[in-house]
Amino acid sequence: MSRPVALVTGGGRGIGAAISDRLAADGYDVLLTYNRSSKPAEMIVDEIRERGDDALAVKVDCSDRGEVGLLGTHPWMARGIDVLVLNHGIYNRIAGDKMTLKDLETTMATNFEGAVSVWKAVQPHLTSEARMVVIGSQLGVRGSPHGADYSASKAALHAWARSLAQSVGPEGKRVNILAPGYVDTDLLAGDSAEKRAQRTREVPLQRVGSPSDVASTVAFLVGPDSSYITGAILHVNGGLYLP
């Protein structure tokens, strides 16, 4: 029997790499996308294959509708997509009063419109009980003094995903949103020791999250134990933000 297929956008590094690795370990063949450097994506593919699982990395700029359209014709699509994880995104630290319309357009084109474009390209190939997880952000709920365009894009993503959950629920498909807090990825790589200590103090569980914390929650949301959950925003932040 062939293994189910998971598609993970931005699946070659950070949170996406952890998700790709976890889903492969859980029995999925993983098609993951990357945009810039292929090296991190190929590394995670090699690690997955060394375990005897299967994965493939493909270059897709999710803000480019032409490239996203080609993703929808990839040979793996013929197998059917059982899990779709929309994880790609960009984050430019821009304060609300400094943000230009161009800044907003650039971020929305990737984070929001790119997610919708991927969904539209993949939709015909989703299996009857497909599960979809959108990687949002706590900042899409609470806002941010230094990431207004990012917060706006994630808020739009949350609202769209919850609307989508209501539309496709009768078909048997589920859509949920995962909103991480501080996670130890490239976004925090520039932290000074003092800044990292401050972040740790802010979190009630007294630690910055790991990509595997997010990946394990994705595994739950696409698994049978969450079969009656859809349209939810699940905050994975150690108690940093409690809506």
Side-chain angles (χ1 to χ4, degrees):
M1 180 180 294
S2 61
R3 286 159 52 109
V5 176
L7 170 61
V8 182
T9 63
R13 62 196 311 162
I15 289 174
I19 294 171
S20 297
D21 185 70
R22 174 59 187 265
L23 292 179
D26 284 354
Y28 293 88
D29 288 345
V30 179
L31 180 64
L32 61 96
T33 75
Y34 67 91
N35 183 20
R36 296 175 184 171
S37 173
S38 64
K39 188 173 181 179
E42 294 296 345
M43 287 177 63
I44 189 64
V45 166
D46 288 345
E47 291 174 10
I48 289 171
R49 289 177 175 172
E50 285 174 5
R51 290 201 309 260
D53 301 319
D54 195 15
L56 181 68
V58 293
K59 183 187 181 305
V60 179
D61 178 353
C62 291
S63 69
D64 185 318
R65 295 185 184 179
E67 291 191 21
V68 171
L70 289 176
L71 175 64
T73 66
H74 193 278
W76 277 40
M77 295 295 155
R79 299 173 56 185
I81 302 300
D82 300 278
V83 166
L84 173 61
V85 181
L86 297 174
N87 168 73
H88 67 276
I90 57 174
Y91 181 23
N92 300 311
R93 297 180 182 275
I94 304 171
D97 60 338
K98 304 297 183 184
M99 184 186 73
T100 67
L101 288 177
K102 181 63 176 176
D103 294 328
L104 182 61
E105 290 169 1
T106 298
T107 302
M108 292 292 284
T110 297
N111 296 2
F112 176 57
E113 294 173 27
V116 176
S117 294
V118 171
W119 158 260
K120 296 295 289 184
V122 174
Q123 183 181 10
H125 311 287
L126 293 174
T127 58
S128 60
E129 295 184 354
R131 287 85 66 202
M132 174 175 162
V133 178
V134 173
I135 306 301
S137 173
Q138 60 158 340
L139 300 183
V141 180
R142 67 188 298 187
S144 169
H146 48 69
D149 55 330
Y150 179 83
S151 295
S153 70
K154 291 296 185 177
L157 198 57
H158 293 178
W160 168 70
R162 300 187 87 173
S163 300
L164 186 60
Q166 297 174 62
S167 298
V168 302
E171 302 171 11
K173 299 179 176 67
R174 296 193 290 116
V175 183
N176 288 294
I177 303 101
L178 194 156
Y182 296 148
V183 180
D184 196 7
T185 65
D186 290 348
L187 286 176
L188 304 189
D191 281 357
S192 63
E194 292 78 12
K195 181 62 176 180
R196 178 55 63 95
Q198 176 189 334
R199 291 190 194 277
T200 300
R201 289 193 300 270
E202 290 175 3
V203 179
L205 289 184
Q206 295 293 282
R207 69 177 178 87
V208 169
S210 68
S212 63
D213 290 322
V214 179
S216 62
T217 309
V218 170
F220 165 71
L221 288 174
V222 303
D225 289 343
S226 63
S227 62
Y228 201 54
I229 300 175
T230 195
I233 299 179
L234 188 55
H235 290 268
V236 182
N237 59 30
L240 175 66
Y241 173 65
L242 302 174

